[in-house]
Amino acid sequence: NQDILVFLNAIQLRLLWSILVGTLSVLGLVCYDLSHPFRGSYQISKRSSMMDQLLTIRQGLYLNIIDRQQKQQQQQQQQ
């Protein structure tokens, strides 16, 4: 430690300490913000185009299932 203190004077140590604290503070803030994806600076929009596509596919599959069930019921009634 003495060799480091001799090599670096008080101003350099304060500067290095400030950079270290600042970097870790910013990193902690970014990690905290990313842990809440629907609020904060780094947001995921609640209705993205990908979500719209997935909802359209889900609705299509649901309608297809209902249509098949209705056809099966009609076939059973005809028999």
Side-chain angles (χ1 to χ4, degrees):
N1 281 347
Q2 280 296 23
D3 293 337
I4 293 173
L5 290 177
V6 170
F7 179 70
L8 297 172
N9 61 22
I11 295 173
Q12 290 173 330
L13 285 174
R14 287 181 186 179
L15 179 66
L16 287 174
W17 179 252
S18 300
I19 291 171
L20 178 66
V21 169
T23 302
L24 292 178
S25 298
V26 169
L27 180 63
L29 183 64
V30 168
C31 290
Y32 175 76
D33 197 17
L34 288 175
S35 68
H36 302 288
F38 294 105
R39 60 184 173 147
S41 300
Y42 304 102
Q43 273 188 38
I44 297 173
S45 62
K46 294 186 189 261
R47 298 280 304 197
S48 65
S49 62
M50 180 66 77
M51 188 60 130
D52 289 337
Q53 290 175 354
L54 290 174
L55 290 175
T56 303
I57 291 170
R58 187 178 104 183
Q59 184 180 12
L61 290 173
Y62 179 72
L63 293 175
N64 191 9
I65 290 170
I66 290 175
D67 188 41
R68 284 186 183 183
Q69 288 176 350
Q70 288 175 350
K71 286 181 182 179
Q72 287 176 352
Q73 288 175 354
Q74 287 174 355
Q75 288 176 353
Q76 288 175 357
Q77 289 174 356
Q78 289 175 355
Q79 291 176 355

